[in-house]
Amino acid sequence: IVLNIQAMRFGNQMFESFWNKDHIQSVQIVFKEDLGTGGRGGYFDKSGIIRDIMQNHLLQVLVWLAMEPPAKYDRANVAQQKVKLLKAMPALKMEDTFLGQFGKNSWQCSGGITHEEPGYLDDETVPAGSRCPTYAGVVLKINNARWQGVPFLMR
């Protein structure tokens, strides 16, 4: 759905009238990956899930989902609406945040094959005793007329 956010949001006039706090109770933006660091832990340990995934990728999804329609679909007008939305978001507080670190896991794949993934600290490229978060869940708020009171849950 990420590839179609712009068309979904702004290409359907009927849909746009329901895209607000009066018709949406909460929004969840979920990044799900079924693989570990795969030897990339040394890189990941320097940035963590918040800088690597949330701040870069998921925040862009949130902005496209929540921003007001731009006057024109050009770079300047889209950027203006993105900035306007970000300014309407209060700074994140620790009480609105959950951090964790993945441990060893295994699951059944199709065909009955068991897949095992080592824990983050099991990756040889991760510094011993690292406290780098590999999981984060946050509740974001947007203080504007469209979204006031609607929690945006990102994990």
Side-chain angles (χ1 to χ4, degrees), residues 53-117:
I53 302 298
M54 295 183 114
Q55 164 183 302
N56 292 321
H57 306 291
L58 299 185
L59 192 59
Q60 285 296 321
V61 172
L62 180 141
V63 169
W64 278 107
L65 285 172
M67 70 184 218
E68 292 300 316
K72 287 179 18 178
Y73 291 101
D74 60 20
R75 185 178 306 191
N77 282 282
V78 169
Q80 179 184 35
Q81 290 305 318
K82 287 181 175 185
V83 169
K84 183 178 173 184
L85 179 79
L86 292 170
K87 286 182 176 183
M89 297 172 65
L92 191 60
K93 298 177 183 172
M94 282 307 293
E95 59 258 23
D96 296 325
T97 305
F98 177 85
L99 301 174
Q101 193 176 80
F102 287 111
K104 183 177 180 179
N105 191 16
S106 64
W107 61 90
Q108 292 289 323
C109 299
S110 61
I113 299 169
T114 300
H115 179 83
E116 293 190 14
E117 194 65 52

